[in-house]
Amino acid sequence: MHSLRPALLAVLVTLTACQTPAAPPAPPSATAAVSQPRPVATAVQAERVRLAWADAGVLTPFRVSTAGPGGATLISLVYDTLTWKDETGIIPWLATRWTIGPDATTYTFSIAPNVVWHDGRPLTAADVAFTFDTYRQTPYRWMTTEMVARAEATSPSEVTIILKRPFAAFLEDIAGVAPIIPKHVWESVTDPRTYDGPNATIGSGPFVLAEYRPTEGSYRLTANRRYFRGEVVVGEFQSLNIPTDTRLAALQQGRIDLINSADASIVDILRGDARLAIYESDPLSIVRLAVNTERAPLNRREVRQAIMYAIDRATIAEVVTKGAPVVGSAGVIPPSSPWYNPEVRHYPYDPEAARALLRGEQLTIELLADPSYREPELMAPMLQAVGITLVIKRADSATRTALLREGNFQLAEVQHIGVGGDPDFLRRWYAGEEANDFAQGSIFTNAEFDQLAREAAATVDVQQRRAIVNRIQALLAEELPTIVLYHRRFYWAYDRTVFAPVTTWGGLMNGIPFPHNKLAFLRRG
Amino acid sequence: MIRLAVRTMILLAAIVVLNFLIPRLLPGDPLDALAAGEHESGLAPLSAAARENLRQFYGLDRDLVGQFTHYLSSLARGDLGWSFAKRQPVRDLLAARLPWTLGLVGAAALSAALLGTALGLAAAWWGGRVDHALVSLASSIEAIPDFLIGIGFLLVFAVGLRWFPLSGGRTAFEAGAPAAIDTLWHLTLPYLALTLSSFAIFLLLTRHSTAETTRAPFVAVARAKGLRPRTVALRHVLPNALPPIANLLALRLGAVLSGAIVIERVYGVPGLGLLAFEAIRERDYPVLQSVFLLTGAAVVLATAAVDAILRAVRPYDAR
């Protein structure tokens, strides 16, 4: 792999849409105790690594839970994808190289030789073609592959994927996310959504699913000793279902090796424990207000801008996360993303500017939020000071999503990840192509935005695409169809004797700020 | 007895209908819950087409009547459906969770009933300081929410003293103590928390019921006949004080199947209570229907059984 890499990266730079693999800037440390993400992490050899998470369902692409990123991440340890991401960008994985046809709808991948499934059968281009054909009938829930028209294996080592339309995010969002499944297992399965055979979880990834305890939601993955991308240096990876309230104590007692928290106070709590370290993820999680731009008074841009000026977002971020604030970019894409445009309009905390925009008008606006969110109470007095009375309406997540789907809201607070990867997510939000809760609240009709978003999706030239994405961010910052409060980090506490985190360029797969990239368990050349 | 059987059947039919309707009255549907995510908002770019595909797969594209008839016909075949959120047959989910709940909540309910009844009898019988102390103790404990008792035990015995594990029903993937001992070790704290949080009601009810019976004329007659106090207590007072206690026990044992949502959640015990909690959040209709059906049927059958037993034992009262 080592010898291949420079050449393959060169191919990437010239041919792919999502390159310019500049390493994201290292996030500033909240305290001296925080370890800096390294450019290239060296995997720690260990008997086992135990992650505290929740049940993520049966580990097949058709039954895994998509309620949160845990399922897709576990899937990525058992299965492989055509491309992958390391610290610097998209890298070859099952595919050793690829070419893109002149109309950017034809991608031809060369499949690595000597890749075997967990049952010892060889992985070939036929498996890849079969996978994409299967996903057209029965989608992989984590990522849509709807733009794939068909896939053809032209030889045992070459597969051509033909898209319905040019899609610049293909290499990152589809080829780098869709798990390749074995044809010999799934071709005889009538309904993959219910299939539960003993071979259902055969993949080609660095770990083999040795045991899943559905009642407890616990997984035991063992190292794949025949892995084609290098030695797996961790004997076992376990994902254990542990209530969030007891995870920290479990880590301190040595019952678990890796936990996460959105609360920076974990840094102080663990300070002085030589065995444990903290890894700050890039701030790829976002806390924002979805705005119903079709309902008065939020259909007026100056009201949305006034809200942006009226909220002291740095203070809110600091109070809630207890860490150094990363004030939200009005252009939505976070500063640590390779696609961030720093030139967008900025909105400092400026109540006077807000009052000037409102011209003395008194408004009442309803905000929909989860019962656990603390931001609404902090925002309310700030908005009251400029003449906006905030009526806070609390609802659980399913209720909130239903209200967003129906457009039955004015403002809605949402917190989510998925903004660090390819910027095509912006198009999908506002084009109504996604059905997750934050995308449901994306109500914004703007011809210029639609045009730019379509152009960006179809432009594979990196520089051209960057220019378009910059314009999209500038437009969003001006129009504010969503009000970004702050970007949020995750604090991963881990046992340094068994694990070393990996910072993935733009987040794991489609922007997941998790440190257990499969590279964290491989000896790299 | 026939009337009792008819009444029980009507109640069971009502439970089936309500179990179907109540989850569907909650705002948001299973696909909204799926899109909403859990730890973070769902990142999955669930497309409109994928959403439609799922809607069909789960039968949510049928109207309410269609869904209900499908539910009834499946139920008649013993098919409890497919969990939306867990993507497993509901029957398997229930079968795997039931032993945990029966073991933990059942044992705690019986212990609480025995302990509470014994202490209630003692309070009523001895009166005075004993009564005062026991009633004060029971009232104080009853006033503490069960999650506080659970968290208190957890903080002291699992986090602080480290005598017990922090969560779960058994040690994951580790060879160590024999499985039964390991499970008992894991369930000790939730068992104690559950017993402590539910014995007081038995104590207070027994004490009240016994004290009332003690003042009844037939007890005075029994005493006047010169019977020994123990004979009066066991032969005359206890049987007559028992019906409300037996009814409470029946309700509790019936409700055992719904698990102990709070305690199971605090300790991460994979029982039916935790399953029900997750199913509400996930709008997992088939799981909710099945858990409610199981619980409702258990309560109805347990109370009917107690009713029948009491009628057999004390036919005069039954009239």
Side-chain angles (χ1 to χ4, degrees):
Chain A
M1 178 193 164
H2 183 65
S3 57
L4 274 175
R5 200 162 145 181
L8 294 169
L9 278 176
V11 172
L12 267 170
V13 170
T14 50
L15 291 179
T16 71
C18 320
Q19 0 28 13
T20 321
S29 279
T31 74
V34 176
S35 64
Q36 290 288 345
R38 285 162 285 181
V40 175
T42 304
V44 177
Q45 186 141 10
E47 195 179 314
R48 71 172 176 206
V49 175
R50 295 164 299 179
L51 164 75
W53 197 257
D55 184 21
V58 181
L59 287 192
T60 79
F62 312 102
R63 292 177 70 185
V64 71
S65 166
T66 49
T73 308
L74 269 182
I75 282 275
S76 78
L77 297 178
V78 177
Y79 299 82
D80 281 315
T81 47
L82 289 171
T83 64
W84 194 240
K85 292 198 288 185
D86 66 2
E87 295 86 347
T88 56
I90 299 169
I91 58 170
W93 207 252
L94 280 176
T96 53
R97 63 187 178 87
W98 49 85
T99 54
I100 304 175
D103 60 352
T105 55
T106 306
Y107 287 72
T108 302
F109 294 91
S110 296
I111 304 303
N114 307 321
V115 185
V116 292
W117 295 105
H118 294 157
D119 61 2
R121 303 271 290 264
L123 186 154
T124 68
D127 292 302
V128 180
F130 172 80
T131 297
F132 284 97
D133 281 343
T134 303
Y135 289 156
R136 274 194 296 129
Q137 308 299 322
T138 312
Y140 174 41
R141 289 186 182 182
W142 186 250
M143 176 53 77
T144 177
T145 56
E146 278 174 306
M147 69 291 296
V148 175
R150 64 182 191 280
E152 292 166 7
T154 49
S155 79
S157 62
E158 199 162 274
V159 62
T160 299
I161 296 173
I162 297 146
L163 308 185
K164 293 174 186 164
R165 56 183 184 275
F167 185 57
F170 183 76
L171 286 176
E172 184 174 357
D173 275 359
I174 309 293
V177 176
I180 303 302
I181 55 171
K183 184 180 178 188
H184 65 276
V185 170
W186 292 96
E187 64 184 342
S188 57
V189 172
T190 316
D191 190 348
R193 294 171 296 192
T194 55
Y195 183 61
D196 201 18
N199 54 0
T201 55
I202 286 179
S204 62
F207 289 97
V208 179
L209 178 66
E211 194 176 354
Y212 167 49
R213 294 180 175 174
T215 307
E216 290 143 274
S218 303
Y219 304 80
R220 186 168 69 86
L221 278 53
T222 53
N224 175 4
R225 296 297 175 202
R226 291 181 294 193
Y227 196 51
F228 77 110
R229 282 284 177 198
E231 185 196 353
V232 182
V233 297
V234 171
E236 270 189 24
F237 180 86
Q238 297 178 3
S239 177
L240 306 180
N241 187 358
I242 296 181
T244 46
D245 295 338
T246 53
R247 285 180 186 171
L248 179 58
L251 179 76
Q252 290 175 307
Q253 293 185 9
R255 298 174 196 270
I256 205 82
D257 307 310
L258 179 62
I259 66 167
N260 81 325
S261 169
D263 187 330
S265 54
I266 193 171
V267 176
D268 287 329
I269 293 170
L270 296 182
R271 192 191 305 279
D273 191 328
R275 183 176 60 88
L276 302 177
I278 298 274
Y279 165 76
E280 284 185 14
S281 77
D282 285 341
L284 299 181
S285 171
I286 194 168
V287 177
R288 65 187 181 92
L289 307 178
V291 182
N292 187 342
T293 57
E294 289 178 355
R295 279 177 61 172
L298 292 162
N299 55 347
R300 286 151 48 199
R301 186 173 65 182
E302 64 271 19
V303 174
R304 305 195 290 267
Q305 291 178 337
I307 292 173
M308 195 65 143
Y309 278 123
I311 302 173
D312 182 354
R313 294 175 292 150
T315 298
I316 289 176
E318 207 166 352
V319 169
V320 176
T321 67
K322 304 184 185 76
V326 183
V327 173
S329 166
V332 181
I333 294 176
S336 53
S337 163
W339 294 96
Y340 171 64
N341 176 10
E343 305 299 325
V344 300
R345 177 170 174 173
H346 290 276
Y347 294 84
Y349 173 50
D350 188 349
E352 277 311 313
R355 284 189 203 100
L357 281 164
L358 293 174
R359 294 190 207 131
E361 199 177 353
Q362 298 291 310
L363 299 170
T364 299
I365 294 175
E366 196 175 86
L367 170 66
L368 184 61
D370 187 88
S372 65
Y373 292 169
R374 295 173 58 205
E375 291 82 2
E377 269 73 25
L378 297 167
M379 281 162 46
M382 296 172 187
L383 290 170
Q384 191 71 59
V386 302
I388 298 174
T389 302
L390 198 64
V391 177
I392 301 164
K393 191 172 157 185
R394 304 278 187 177
D396 79 338
S397 55
T399 306
R400 212 172 54 242
T401 305
L403 292 169
L404 288 168
R405 175 164 51 79
E406 294 156 3
N408 191 6
F409 73 103
Q410 286 185 295
L411 281 179
E413 180 178 341
V414 286
Q415 303 184 353
H416 59 91
I417 54 178
V419 292
D422 189 279
D424 188 59
F425 70 86
L426 288 170
R427 180 188 63 81
R428 296 198 300 267
W429 287 6
Y430 293 109
E433 286 186 14
E434 291 190 7
N436 40 20
D437 69 343
F438 50 90
Q440 291 288 358
S442 306
I443 297 172
F444 177 51
T445 308
N446 182 293
E448 188 186 356
F449 173 84
D450 294 345
Q451 175 67 24
L452 287 170
R454 277 197 302 271
E455 273 179 37
T459 305
V460 289
D461 179 89
V462 167
Q463 293 313 321
Q464 281 181 29
R465 189 162 187 241
R466 180 176 296 284
I468 300 169
V469 172
N470 281 348
R471 284 171 62 198
I472 289 174
Q473 291 175 77
L475 178 71
L476 291 176
E478 199 61 43
E479 292 292 331
L480 298 178
T482 184
I483 292 169
V484 183
L485 298 178
Y486 58 95
H487 301 287
R488 195 168 59 156
R489 301 178 193 285
F490 288 118
Y491 299 86
W492 291 85
Y494 62 96
D495 183 336
R496 65 171 90 233
T497 63
V498 299
F499 180 72
V502 168
T503 301
T504 307
W505 180 82
L508 206 52
M509 293 180 280
N510 52 334
I512 304 171
F514 281 15
H516 47 294
N517 184 319
K518 63 178 95 181
L519 293 167
F521 309 108
L522 298 180
R523 192 183 306 286
R524 289 195 269 177
Chain B
M1 199 57 88
I2 292 169
R3 274 177 58 192
L4 178 64
V6 170
R7 199 177 68 196
T8 305
M9 293 306 291
I10 292 171
L11 274 173
L12 286 174
I15 286 169
V16 169
V17 176
L18 286 175
N19 281 349
F20 174 82
L21 285 178
I22 288 173
R24 285 165 177 79
L25 292 175
L26 291 168
D29 68 20
L31 298 183
D32 289 323
L34 177 72
E38 192 175 340
H39 310 283
E40 279 273 295
S41 293
L43 174 61
L46 184 68
S47 67
R51 189 184 167 92
E52 195 47 44
N53 181 308
L54 291 174
R55 186 170 288 283
Q56 280 176 11
F57 177 62
Y58 292 133
L60 295 170
D61 54 336
R62 298 189 188 103
D63 62 15
L64 210 56
V65 175
Q67 288 183 43
F68 186 59
T69 50
H70 178 72
Y71 169 54
L72 284 185
S73 62
S74 303
L75 203 58
R77 294 194 309 273
D79 177 6
L80 296 176
W82 184 263
S83 162
F84 295 168
K86 308 276 184 204
R87 291 136 169 111
Q88 293 171 49
V90 175
R91 187 190 55 237
D92 293 357
L93 280 172
L94 295 188
R97 305 276 181 141
L98 200 56
W100 291 101
T101 291
L102 282 178
L104 172 65
V105 191
L110 282 175
S111 305
L114 285 175
L115 182 69
T117 306
L119 292 177
L121 278 174
W125 192 252
W126 281 304
R129 281 187 182 174
V130 173
D131 181 37
H132 186 72
L134 285 172
V135 168
S136 302
L137 176 75
S139 305
S140 308
I141 290 173
E142 191 62 19
I144 306 174
D146 48 1
F147 75 89
L148 267 187
I149 295 176
I151 290 173
F153 277 14
L154 191 69
L155 282 175
V156 174
F157 298 110
V159 177
L161 297 170
R162 301 189 181 190
W163 290 352
F164 294 98
L166 292 158
S167 68
R170 58 176 169 166
T171 307
F173 310 125
E174 272 183 47
I181 292 174
D182 182 58
T183 299
L184 285 177
W185 182 50
H186 276 79
L187 296 186
T188 301
L189 285 186
Y191 162 77
L192 289 175
L194 269 177
T195 305
L196 191 64
S197 65
S198 50
F199 89 97
I201 185 76
F202 281 98
L203 188 156
L204 294 171
L205 187 69
T206 309
R207 180 242 178 209
H208 177 74
S209 179
T210 311
E212 265 200 350
T213 312
T214 311
R215 286 195 293 271
F218 69 86
V219 176
V221 172
R223 281 184 175 139
K225 279 161 65 181
L227 293 177
R228 285 185 302 170
R230 192 173 152 185
T231 310
V232 174
L234 293 181
R235 281 211 191 143
H236 297 276
V237 177
L238 185 58
N240 287 288
L242 213 51
I245 303 163
N247 276 320
L248 178 65
L249 181 60
L251 285 174
R252 286 289 164 118
L253 285 178
V256 158
L257 292 184
S258 68
I261 291 179
V262 173
I263 293 295
E264 285 184 8
R265 187 161 153 68
V266 166
Y267 290 97
V269 178
L272 288 174
L274 192 57
L275 183 68
F277 174 83
E278 290 166 352
I280 291 169
R281 191 179 54 195
E282 291 154 346
R283 306 291 193 268
D284 200 342
Y285 298 160
V287 173
L288 279 176
Q289 283 163 191
S290 302
V291 173
F292 289 166
L293 179 65
L294 206 61
T295 310
V299 171
V300 168
L301 294 176
T303 44
V306 167
D307 218 0
I309 292 167
L310 288 178
R311 278 163 195 256
V313 173
R314 305 174 66 222
Y316 180 79
D317 279 5
R319 283 198 298 273

